[in-house]
């Protein structure tokens, strides 16, 4: 069947009484499945017809045999009646004394009745089996047979709809050869396809959609309205149908799996590179902080030396004041081109001296008509007492 061309496939379906729609790459497998089902139905009907014919021939033969036996018994009975007066002319009582004539007379009738009784039973069973094969209008009936037929028709519609939506979604995911705007197929397009494939009415299609809405099971079909974020509750609000399980070919699945694997590997390496770069940045930052702290300690040492030397010079009357301005010390220790770069080191050194150095006191004095923060060197009290 896979070797049939599109024209041969169309002719085969038309020969079996089915009018197919357009045969494309999307619908070809569906129509092949339909042709396979129709051939199976024709074969089953042929076998059923042969069995019925064989059964009818057997019943006809039984009737003829029963009729022949009945006629033979009637002829035998007539012959015996003709020969009875010749053998003896008994009175009416002599007939009663010979009981063998009673079963002989009643035998043909009983045999005929038994034969026709078997024939009637077989004919009744045959007619009963034939009644089940007769087409029945089950649209308005609620008996068990009609409910089973309606359920089978509904399942067929759902099966064809699921296959159609899955194939369309798979084509959209695998390059979109049919140039679909979306995986969500409009309701009218899906209804026309189901009508062409299953020859079902719009009422059955709506009944299938109603069953999907009322069912709590995941049937692989998503009903969407005008707003995809809102949940659809009635059939009249359904705008399009989408398959939640796209049916893709082996090549498409392999290419998508390979693309996913490559993407995951790239993401992994990008994350690894990011973490490695972050670690390098942190190590650089830690090193810079260590260097900055070391520079701060060196700056503190230089400040202490400058303030102490200034105090010694004041004691020797080489300086006018016993204190020195903080900015003056900064300008002495840091050249102008490095002051912006060393600002953080200087600020940390000043803060460290204010918090941890008791020999240097921070004071405010008016120098040259301006208030200025200065440092004064303070000797420990033990040194002062020993000098005195």
């Amino acid at each position: 069947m896979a070797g049939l061309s599109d024209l041969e496939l169309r002719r085969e379906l038309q020969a079996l009484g089915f009018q197919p729609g357009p045969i494309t790459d999307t619908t070809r497998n569906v129509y092949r499945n339909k042709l396979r089902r129709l051939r199976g139905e024709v074969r089953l009907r042929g076998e059923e017809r042969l069995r019925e014919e064989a059964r009818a021939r057997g019943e006809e033969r039984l009737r003829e045999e029963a009729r022949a036996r009945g006629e033979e018994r009637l002829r035998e009975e007539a012959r015996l009646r003709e020969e009875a007066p010749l053998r003896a002319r008994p009175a009416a009582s002599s007939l009663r004394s010979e009981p063998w004539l009673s079963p002989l007379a009643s035998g043909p009738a009983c045999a005929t009745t038994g034969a026709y009784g078997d024939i009637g039973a077989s004919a009744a069973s045959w007619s009963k089996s034939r009644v089940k094969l007769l087409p029945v209008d089950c649209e308005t009936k609620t008996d068990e047979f009609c409910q089973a037929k309606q359920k089978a028709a509904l399942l067929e519609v759902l099966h064809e709809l699921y296959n159609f939506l899955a194939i369309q979604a798979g084509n959209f995911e695998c390059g979109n050869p049919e140039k679909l705007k979306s995986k969500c197929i409009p309701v009218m397009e899906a209804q026309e396809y189901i009508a062409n494939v299953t020859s079902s009415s719009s009422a059955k299609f709506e009944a299938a959609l109603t069953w999907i809405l009322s069912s709590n099971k995941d049937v692989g079909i998503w009903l969407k309205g005008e707003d995809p974020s809102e949940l659809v509750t009635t059939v009249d609000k359904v705008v399009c149908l989408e398959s939640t399980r796209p049916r893709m070919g082996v090549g498409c699945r392999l290419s998508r799996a390979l693309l996913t694997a490559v993407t995951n590997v790239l993401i992994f390496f990008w994350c690894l590179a990011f973490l490695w770069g972050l670690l390098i940045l942190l190590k650089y930052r830690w090193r810079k902080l260590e260097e900055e702290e070391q520079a701060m300690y060196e700056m503190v040492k230089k400040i202490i030396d400058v303030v102490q030397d200034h105090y010694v010079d004041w004691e020797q009357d080489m300086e006018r004041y016993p204190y020195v301005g903080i900015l003056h010390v900064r300008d002495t220790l840091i050249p102008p081109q490095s002051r912006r770069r060393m600002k953080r080191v200087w600020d940390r050194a000043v803060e460290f001296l204010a918090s941890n150095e008791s020999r240097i006191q921070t004071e405010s004095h008016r120098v040259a008509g301006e208030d200025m923060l200065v440092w004064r060197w303070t000797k420990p009290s033990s040194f002062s007492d020993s000098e005195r």
Side-chain angles (χ1 to χ4, degrees), residues 177-244:
E178 298 185 4
K179 307 300 180 182
L180 298 175
K181 296 181 180 179
S182 172
K183 292 190 295 184
C184 198
I185 307 301
V187 175
M188 295 305 298
E189 183 177 347
Q191 183 175 352
E192 291 177 0
Y193 174 82
I194 294 300
N196 291 332
V197 174
T198 62
S199 301
S200 59
S201 61
S202 59
K204 291 184 179 179
F205 182 78
E206 293 180 359
L209 298 185
T210 303
W211 185 87
I212 295 175
L213 291 174
S214 61
S215 176
N216 295 325
K217 300 179 181 178
D218 182 14
V219 297
I221 300 175
W222 189 7
L223 306 184
K224 291 185 177 182
E226 295 182 357
D227 188 0
S229 61
E230 295 182 357
L231 184 63
V232 178
T233 55
T234 57
V235 177
D236 56 349
K237 293 183 180 180
V238 178
V239 176
C240 59
L241 310 175
E242 181 179 339
S243 175
T244 59

Side-chain angles (χ1 to χ4, degrees), residues 81-153:
R81 286 179 181 175
E82 292 176 355
E83 292 178 354
L86 297 176
R87 266 193 239 115
R89 296 182 181 273
S93 60
S94 63
L95 291 176
R96 286 191 299 269
S97 64
E98 296 178 359
W100 58 274
L101 289 176
S102 177
L104 184 61
S106 61
C110 294
T112 304
T113 303
Y116 278 100
D118 295 338
I119 295 172
S122 61
S125 62
W126 174 81
S127 62
K128 184 177 181 181
S129 63
R130 287 290 293 169
V131 166
K132 292 184 179 180
L133 299 176
L134 292 177
V136 181
D137 184 13
C138 291
E139 294 294 337
T140 58
K141 295 184 179 181
T142 58
D143 57 282
E144 183 179 355
F145 178 75
C146 289
Q147 287 181 355
K149 288 292 184 182
Q150 291 176 0
K151 183 177 180 181

Side-chain angles (χ1 to χ4, degrees), residues 278-327:
L278 184 62
L279 179 60
I280 292 175
L281 181 62
L282 290 175
K283 290 179 66 177
Y284 174 78
R285 179 63 178 171
W286 293 333
R287 187 172 66 253
K288 295 297 290 184
L289 290 176
E290 291 177 357
E291 293 176 357
E292 183 179 327
E293 187 174 4
Q294 187 67 28
M296 184 266 294
Y297 287 130
E298 292 179 358
M299 183 63 66
V300 168
K301 184 177 180 181
K302 291 179 181 180
I303 292 172
I304 293 174
D305 291 341
V306 169
V307 175
Q308 186 177 9
D309 292 343
H310 183 82
Y311 182 78
V312 172
D313 291 341
W314 175 76
E315 286 183 336
Q316 297 176 0
D317 294 332
M318 296 177 62
E319 292 290 345
R320 183 176 179 181
Y321 302 106
Y323 50 82
V324 62
I326 294 177
L327 296 180

Side-chain angles (χ1 to χ4, degrees), residues 316-346:
Q316 297 176 0
D317 294 332
M318 296 177 62
E319 292 290 345
R320 183 176 179 181
Y321 302 106
Y323 50 82
V324 62
I326 294 177
L327 296 180
H328 179 71
V329 176
R330 182 198 66 183
D331 297 341
T332 303
L333 296 177
I334 303 175
Q337 65 271 16
S338 301
R339 287 173 187 171
R340 178 176 296 180
R341 180 172 58 84
M342 297 292 292
K343 183 179 184 302
R344 181 176 174 82
V345 175
W346 173 259

